[in-house]
Amino acid sequence: MKNPAKVGKVMKEFKNGTLHAGRNPKGPKKAPIVKSRKQAIAIALSEAGMAKAINKGIKNATDKMKGK
């Protein structure tokens, strides 16, 4: 894991209702607040830099199942 503390921070923001889905929550067009737990997990993994590792693992597993 690259940064599990970041995942915890983002999930805490989601629990408090302050996690935004866009890049700049304070900009002129405010980003919408995240309502879905799945979306919050995706944001947390992405910000922690773990999404790429997880996707790579899934791709490797599917390649093995196909016999590549």
Side-chain angles (χ1 to χ4, degrees):
M1 287 190 162
K2 289 191 177 183
N3 195 355
K6 184 72 169 179
V7 174
K9 180 179 178 252
V10 171
M11 291 309 291
K12 191 169 187 176
E13 283 182 25
F14 170 68
K15 187 176 178 184
N16 292 335
T18 59
L19 180 64
H20 290 268
R23 288 189 177 266
N24 188 3
K26 297 177 184 175
K29 294 182 179 179
K30 277 196 156 189
I33 292 179
V34 175
K35 302 226 187 293
S36 166
R37 185 171 184 273
K38 285 184 179 183
Q39 187 178 7
I41 292 170
I43 291 170
L45 293 177
S46 176
E47 287 189 13
M50 296 189 318
K52 292 177 186 172
I54 290 172
N55 286 339
K56 185 177 180 184
I58 291 171
K59 184 177 183 297
N60 289 342
T62 55
D63 287 347
K64 286 179 186 175
M65 288 180 0
K66 291 178 184 174
K68 288 187 177 179

